[in-house]
Structures are given as structure tokens and as C-alpha cells.
Amino acid sequence: MVGVKQVSSTNRSWTKRRDAKAERLKNVEGISSGKVIPTDRIIEALESLIVPGDRVSLEGNNQKQASFLSAALNKVSPSRIHDLHMIMSSISRPEHLDIFEKGIAKKVDFAYAGPQSLRIAQMLEDGKVKMGEIHTYLELYSRLFVDLIPSVALVAADKADKEGNLYTGPNTEETPTLVEATAFRDGIVIAQVNELVDEVPRVDIPGSWIDFVTVADKPYELEPLFTRDPRHITDLQVLMAMMIIRGIYERHEVQSLNHGIGYNTAAIELLLPTYGEQLGLRGKICKHWASNPHPTLIPAIESGWVESIHCFGGEVGMEEYVRARPDVFFTGKDGSMRSNRTLSQLAGQYAVDLFVGSTLQMDQDGNSSTVTSGRLAGFGGAPNMGHDPRGRRHSTPAWLNMMTSDDPLARGKKLVVQVVETFQTGNTPVIVESLDAIDVGRNAELATTPVMIYGDDVTHLVTEEGIAYLYKASSMEERREAVAAVAGVTPVGLKHEPKRTDELRRSGIIALPEDLGIRRTDANRSLLAAKSVEELVEWSEGLYNPPAKFRSW
């Protein structure tokens, strides 16, 4: 072409990343045997494979932790390995932050830091951690394929063969995503496994994607994070669960949904076979789930309420129950569940009618956050599922039921429900005039305030006072009044005029229990289909094997 300078690529290398990886692999030729790194030489191997300043993806999600590899990384010499940029969906273990104290790591991008939320907040204040961004799970996973491509991925699996084929069993979680983003951009993938076998039960991740496997000194850590003991469900939580079933699930014909973790949602699950049955709702609501295998779902499954559940990950003790219920769960030919955190997050974002979750703070506009003063918990997957995805195009009765206009171009909306008791333990109000997250974000020098779920995405707010149908509000002022009407005696609620509550009730913008035909005196634990973990075991016909800490018999 005339006037366009032609640039020759004759002397340019197009394989720099591949060549650099090959040089690193040479460094461990005397350490590894094929793809197998001996357990007692893992620290030496990491020091030979990782380079200062590397971007390292470390598996450590809600449940499955690459605990052997994280402990080994914590023991490398800071003089050899330093200033790493860590990518962790969940900062869960002490060594996840110890590496920053030692200078092994410098910067972090993450999604959730529940168990370490207080410590990371203090370390940020002390300048010991450089913050990238606080992400949602899907946001973080997506960036692994764009601008946060890992140099090294440290992951966990159940079993491997000598060719590196991995079997992840029921806890696949985020492993395939971390591996793929690294392996196909010439990064190095190291997998810790519980066992080295001649043949894996099924190939969850092919060996051609894996550079090294190492047998951990003990099985990777699993936490039963989604188990809620029914003994701790209160009458107040039963009341709110009744309101949700009657005033939201039934009213809007919710058939597909995600439940967050908590006693509020556990109460809903345990009321389906009792209160839900009384209302004649079986087969009409709550049929398809994107959820972990909550033990409190067992009575609903056994009663014929649940048709399908796709899981983010497994749950300790639910393995044999899931194996015995393949019509409900996604399982392989070997009988074990196949979970996938990335795909289940997508299902929770686009495929379900409703998300219901809770929060630590909510302001008068409905904005909520789990980032509070002195605590940087992060978000996890709630923002993925707790918003209205504008790209959705398929319709369901619940989605269409959110339409408030006759405009031919009007669209439906995903139901996003926040359920909170107006006060936390210690008499701390949940509904406040201004979020702590504003100051936390400013002090941490974040570009935006760390809001978990934005108020304009919330369609319903449920407290012990009643339900606010926020999607019906005609103005921001009316929306604030609806929030205040169910805010109880919090500072926000005390500003509300009782006369205005009556007007909002008449217009259907809020509903108190009596408006839904619910007597507060009927809301008690006697309605729960199971009142203890022992009764959950009985419902499961002995298939559920709860961890020892949940056994009271």
C-alpha cells in the first residue's frame, strides 16, 4: 500500500513467553521426576520456577485451599523470591498474608477475605500490602484472560497420574479456570494432589495443561462453609422466611434461584416441605438451583421440591448423598459431583430468576456492603448474582413480573432480595445513613467505594418488620421511604412517619406480615422440616455424614 511503512518481522521473536518458560523448566530438571516434584523438594522447586515480580495465581476459594503450596510459598527465601503480584479469589489462610509481611509478595488482587478481613484491613493501613482491586469472582476470573494473566498457577486436586491428568472429584471449584488461563499463555502450572495413582477415576483437567504435580503432606483443607445447624435458626428468621416464601417466591412465581449462605436462607429451605406445602406451592416454585449442596436442602429434595442443583463446589459430608441423587445433582460416571465455580457463577448471574442474600450494612438508598470499619471482607460472588444482568434476553414469569411499564420495549428484571435483621449482635444497626465503605475505600486509596450490591439493583428488602417492594417505587424519595418503613428502630427507621407507612401499605410498596396473611405468633421453629443436624441425617436416610463439630449425638 502506498504511504504505509512495511515492518519486517524477520528478526522478531514470536515465542518469547514460550522460550522463557522453557528456560525456567530447565531449572528443575534435577528436582522433578518427569512431571512429579517430590513432596520434600517443593520449596526448592518453587524457588527455581518463580521469578521476582511474577504474577502468581493461588487457588484458595471458599472451600478448597491449595494449602500445601501456599505453606511452601510462605517458606521460600525472600532474597530469591520477592515482590510477587498475587491473584487470589479468597484470602483465607494466615500464610496468604504472611507472604506480604515477609516481602515475598507485594501486591494483591482478590475477591473475598472473610477469615482474614480484619488483618488485611490493618496491613493495608500499615502499608504492608499494595491493593490492586477488590473483585467479584467472575470479574477476577475474566481478568485472568485479559490483563491479569498469571505467570504461575498453584492449584489443588484430589488425584493425579504420572502424566499430570487431574481428578478434582466433587470439588472442582475454580481449578479449570486458573489452569486454562495460565497454561495457554505459557505460564507454569503446579498442582498439589492428595494422591498419585496409576489411573484417575475421570480426567477433569488433562495432563497436557499441567507442568508439575506434587503429593501434599496432607490432604488439602476443606471447610464446611455452607452448613448451617438448624438448631441455631431463630423464630425471627422463620418469620422472615415465611414472608419471603409468601410475599416473593409465591407472588412472583420464582422457579430458579440462588441462596446465599446464612441462617435466613437455611430457614427458607427448611420451610419448603412444611409451610410451602401448606400453601400448595410444590412444583410451582424453587425447582432449579445454582447453589452449593446445602445440607438444609435435603428435606426439600427428599420431598420432591427440587429438580436440579448446579454447584459452585462441594460440601464436606454431602458426598455420598450427592452420589445417591444423580437426578438432582450434576455427577460423573464415577458418581462424584462435578462442580465448577465459574460456570455456576454464570448460572447465578444469567440463568436464575432470583438471588437472595444478606449484608453487614445497608444505606437508606439500598446500597449494601460487607466492607465495614476496620474490616475488608470483599465481595465473593454476591455482586455477580445480586444484580440485574442487562444482557439477559430469555424470559420467565418471575422476570416478566418485574415489569412496571406497558412500553413495548420494556424489559423484565432479575429479583435481587436482601434479607437482614435490622440490628446485628451487639445492638449495631444494619441499616445506616451512610456506609462505612466510603471511608474504608478512601483510606485504602481505592478508585471507587467498595459497594457489594448497588441499591438500584435491589428489588426487595426483607426485615423482621416486613417487605419493601423497592422495584415498585416511583422515585428515589419513595424508595428511601420504603427502606425506612421496614428499618425498625435504626437511625434510618426512626425518621420515618408511621402515617406514611400506612400509605405505602395501601399502594403495595411495602407489606407487613399481616398483609401477607402471616400471623407473627405462627412463626416459630416448629415449622422447620428438620430442627437439628441429626434430623437432616435422618431425612437423608443416613447418607449425609456431617463433620464432627456438627454432631450433637
Side-chain angles (χ1 to χ4, degrees):
M1 293 175 61
V2 178
V4 178
K5 182 178 180 180
Q6 298 297 307
V7 179
S8 172
S9 62
T10 305
N11 298 320
R12 178 178 175 180
S13 171
W14 293 94
T15 58
K16 290 179 181 178
R17 297 175 67 91
R18 191 166 301 171
D19 297 341
K21 177 178 178 176
E23 287 298 316
R24 294 198 197 194
L25 296 181
K26 288 179 183 178
N27 295 335
V28 292
E29 287 179 352
I31 299 174
S32 67
S33 175
K35 288 193 172 186
V36 180
I37 297 173
T39 305
D40 60 358
R41 301 192 71 181
I42 187 61
I43 298 172
E44 183 183 356
L46 292 179
E47 290 180 338
S48 301
L49 290 167
I50 299 175
V51 173
D54 265 351
R55 199 178 282 144
V56 178
S57 175
L58 174 62
E59 182 164 20
N61 50 54
N62 269 355
Q63 292 174 298
K64 187 174 69 170
Q65 302 284 333
S67 46
F68 174 64
L69 289 175
S70 65
L73 183 63
N74 190 39
K75 294 177 182 177
V76 301
S77 171
S79 64
R80 296 190 61 176
I81 309 298
H82 51 84
D83 295 327
L84 299 180
H85 179 175
M86 300 302 299
I87 304 167
M88 293 182 279
S89 63
S90 179
I91 300 174
S92 306
R93 298 174 59 80
E95 65 265 23
H96 289 173
L97 292 177
D98 289 346
I99 58 176
F100 291 90
E101 298 269 11
K102 296 177 180 179
I104 296 168
K106 181 179 181 180
K107 184 178 180 180
V108 65
D109 280 276
F110 74 105
Y112 179 69
Q116 300 295 326
S117 59
L118 299 177
R119 185 180 174 195
I120 191 173
Q122 186 61 52
M123 289 178 69
L124 273 169
E125 187 175 326
D126 295 342
K128 294 180 179 179
V129 176
K130 183 178 179 182
M131 179 67 69
E133 296 287 351
I134 307 174
H135 303 73
T136 72
Y137 285 133
L138 276 181
E139 183 179 25
L140 186 63
Y141 299 153
S142 298
R143 290 189 67 193
L144 296 179
F145 295 90
V146 183
D147 63 331
L148 285 181
I149 301 169
S151 310
V152 178
L154 306 176
V155 300
D158 189 7
K159 295 177 175 65
D161 60 24
K162 291 184 179 180
E163 300 303 314
N165 295 304
L166 299 186
Y167 170 70
T168 54
N171 291 289
T172 302
E173 294 271 0
E174 64 191 12
T175 317
T177 303
L178 305 188
V179 170
E180 184 162 341
T182 309
F184 290 90
R185 281 287 281 165
D186 296 310
I188 294 172
V189 180
I190 306 171
Q192 71 168 75
V193 297
N194 297 335
E195 187 180 4
L196 199 61
V197 297
D198 292 331
E199 183 179 357
V200 293
R202 70 172 189 248
V203 177
D204 287 319
I205 299 176
S208 58
W209 297 15
I210 307 299
D211 294 297
F212 299 104
V213 297
T214 183
V215 179
D217 55 1
K218 57 184 176 182
Y220 56 71
E221 183 177 303
L222 278 174
E223 286 290 333
L225 294 181
F226 295 86
T227 298
R228 293 293 179 267
D229 189 336
R231 290 182 304 168
H232 301 308
I233 295 174
T234 66
D235 289 351
L236 204 59
Q237 289 160 345
V238 171
L239 173 64
M240 291 190 287
M242 292 172 73
M243 287 193 284
I244 289 170
I245 291 172
R246 191 72 200 266
I248 300 176
Y249 292 3
E250 179 183 18
R251 178 173 295 192
H252 302 301
E253 300 179 66
V254 174
Q255 297 191 21
S256 58
L257 67 162
N258 166 267
H259 271 188
I261 315 170
Y263 290 104
N264 289 318
T265 47
I268 300 170
E269 293 158 11
L270 290 170
L271 286 182
L272 291 176
T274 56
Y275 181 63
E277 198 73 36
Q278 292 172 18
L279 297 175
L281 296 177
R282 179 154 51 94
K284 298 178 182 178
I285 65 169
C286 301
K287 297 195 295 183
H288 306 291
W289 299 67
S291 171
N292 273 61
H294 300 171
T296 45
L297 272 171
I298 291 173
I301 294 170
E302 296 299 303
S303 301
W305 281 75
V306 180
E307 293 186 14
S308 68
I309 303 177
H310 187 266
C311 299
F312 306 94
E315 185 68 356
V316 180
M318 285 289 283
E319 295 84 2
E320 291 307 311
Y321 180 77
V322 169
R323 187 185 301 274
R325 301 292 184 268
D327 282 351
V328 173
F329 295 96
F330 286 69
T331 58
K333 290 182 179 179
D334 67 317
S336 72
M337 186 176 74
R338 167 72 176 192
S339 63
N340 189 302
R341 183 166 293 279
T342 305
L343 295 182
S344 211
Q345 286 286 334
L346 278 170
Q349 179 169 339
Y350 277 100
V352 302
D353 293 330
L354 170 146
F355 163 80
V356 55
S358 193
T359 187
L360 294 177
Q361 271 193 348
M362 173 179 283
D363 69 16
Q364 56 193 342
D365 293 336
N367 300 303
S368 65
S369 187
T370 50
V371 174
T372 56
S373 181
R375 180 174 179 178
L376 201 69
F379 307 131
N384 294 138
M385 293 171 286
H387 83 281
D388 179 43
R390 305 286 291 181
R392 175 171 170 165
R393 291 297 180 267
H394 75 283
S395 61
T396 60
W399 187 79
L400 293 171
N401 203 244
M402 291 295 99
M403 294 173 62
T404 56
S405 167
D406 293 329
D407 189 313
L409 294 180
R411 58 188 298 279
K413 192 171 185 178
K414 180 181 184 177
L415 283 77
V416 176
V417 181
Q418 292 277 268
V419 51
V420 298
E421 294 179 36
T422 53
F423 283 85
Q424 300 176 41
T425 304
N427 208 31
T428 303
V430 172
I431 301 174
V432 297
E433 294 181 88
S434 180
L435 295 176
D436 288 357
I438 295 173
D439 288 334
V440 174
R442 186 183 299 117
N443 294 336
E445 298 182 348
L446 299 177
T448 59
T449 297
V451 172
M452 183 175 69
I453 296 178
Y454 286 98
D456 55 5
D457 278 316
V458 180
T459 57
H460 300 73
L461 170 60
V462 182
T463 74
E464 70 272 20
E465 300 293 331
I467 300 177
Y469 295 89
L470 300 180
Y471 74 96
K472 288 185 173 184
S474 59
S475 65
M476 181 58 74
E477 182 57 33
E478 191 168 59
R479 184 183 184 86
R480 288 172 180 158
E481 289 176 333
V483 170
V486 296
V489 293
T490 64
V492 171
L494 289 173
K495 292 182 178 180
H496 186 69
E497 295 182 10
K499 184 187 299 184
R500 184 61 179 140
T501 297
D502 294 336
E503 295 172 356
L504 292 171
R505 288 174 69 185
R506 285 194 294 271
S507 61
I509 293 177
I510 68 164
L512 305 187
E514 48 268 36
D515 300 326
L516 302 170
I518 298 171
R519 291 188 301 181
R520 292 178 183 267
T521 53
D522 289 341
N524 59 71
R525 288 175 41 79
S526 66
L527 283 175
L528 299 175
K531 300 170 187 64
S532 67
V533 172
E534 185 177 10
E535 290 185 15
L536 292 176
V537 175
E538 292 173 3
W539 270 98
S540 76
E541 300 178 345
L543 292 168
Y544 173 42
N545 181 28
K549 69 178 183 179
F550 290 103
R551 292 179 177 271
S552 58
W553 62 96

